[in-house]
């Protein structure tokens, strides 16, 4: 029987914590793994570079002025978001995920050097009342274009939570600067929050695409290795450099079930 990841157990909450719940549901069929790979989900939004007409210029400059007043210190343009896009994203196939929790353990091992569901930065939930294959939910950081968690960080003059240009503008939390206010956890628009409380270091943490992984044994970040992508036994997580067009759960969900999956008689719908 596979471990069960219930809504109130076996996954990280904002404060962290782990409770094993066995609901007695049958295990999923055993399956073969398909190799991890990068996927493309759409093109980046083009940026207008032409000379605007006078009316468009006035409208654009007005928008910049309002945005600058609301978000001091940010670089704001009329046609793009205030901070540069991340150069990497995690995409998932929830109908392919088996709920084994391997990605969670590998995430905590790579970052903290110990296997702990509570220290994982990717979160797996299982709805014990839903039918397979719609019972699994993968909660991974979206590396949001507008990044509410970055905006909410009160640390000045250098935010503890910020995009890092050295590593493809991945949104990262610096544990040395974090004051433990949990503002980023509260600001995340998704449930569960993709920023979590690290009860060991008493600071916030979130997915950094394995940039700061002293125990990974490889270079992480965009262009490098992501522990969850490499360790998933069925290839239900993929790395992409293309920015999803809309920041919703659905836009970060893709179909990773290839020919091998179909031969096994598993769902491809």
């Amino acid at each position: 029987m596979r471990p069960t990841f219930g809504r109130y157990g076996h996954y990280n909450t904002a404060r962290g914590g782990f409770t094993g719940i066995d609901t007695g549901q049958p295990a999923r069929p055993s399956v073969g793994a398909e190799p991890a790979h990068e996927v493309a989900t759409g093109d980046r939004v083009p940026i207008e570079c032409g000379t605007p007409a006078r009316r468009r210029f006035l409208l654009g400059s007005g928008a910049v002025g309002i945005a600058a007043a609301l978000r001091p210190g940010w670089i704001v343009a009329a046609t793009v978001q205030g901070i540069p896009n991340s150069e990497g994203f995690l995409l998932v196939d929830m109908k392919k995920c088996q709920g084994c929790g391997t990605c969670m353990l590998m995430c905590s091992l790579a970052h903290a050097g110990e296997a702990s569901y509570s220290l994982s930065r990717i979160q797996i939930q299982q709805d014990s009342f839903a039918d397979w294959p719609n019972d699994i939910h993968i909660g991974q950081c979206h590396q949001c274009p507008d990044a509410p968690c970055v905006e909410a960080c009160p640390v000045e003059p250098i935010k503890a939570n910020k995009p890092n240009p050295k590593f493809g503008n991945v949104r990262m939390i610096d544990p040395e600067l974090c004051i433990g206010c949990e503002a980023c956890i509260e600001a995340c628009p998704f449930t569960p929050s993709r920023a979590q409380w690290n009860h060991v270091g008493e600071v916030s943490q979130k997915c950094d695409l394995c940039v700061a992984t002293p125990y990974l044994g490889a270079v992480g970040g965009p262009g490098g290795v992501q522990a969850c992508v490499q360790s998933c036994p069925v290839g239900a997580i993929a790395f992409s450099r293309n920015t999803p067009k809309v920041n919703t759960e659905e836009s970060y969900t893709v179909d990773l079930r290839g020919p091998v999956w179909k031969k096994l008689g598993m769902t491809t719908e």
Side-chain angles (χ1 to χ4, degrees), residues 143-164:
Q143 298 293 331
C144 299
D146 56 350
C149 62
V150 173
E151 181 180 5
C153 181
V155 178
E156 296 292 349
I158 302 175
K159 288 180 177 287
N161 187 346
K162 57 186 178 295
N164 193 325

Side-chain angles (χ1 to χ4, degrees), residues 2 28-29 31 95-100 132 136 234 261 266:
R2 65 170 176 165
R28 293 175 182 241
V31 297
K95 291 186 177 181
K96 193 176 187 184
C97 174
Q98 302 295 296
C100 66
W132 178 84
I136 293 293
V234 296
W261 198 255
M266 307 295 282

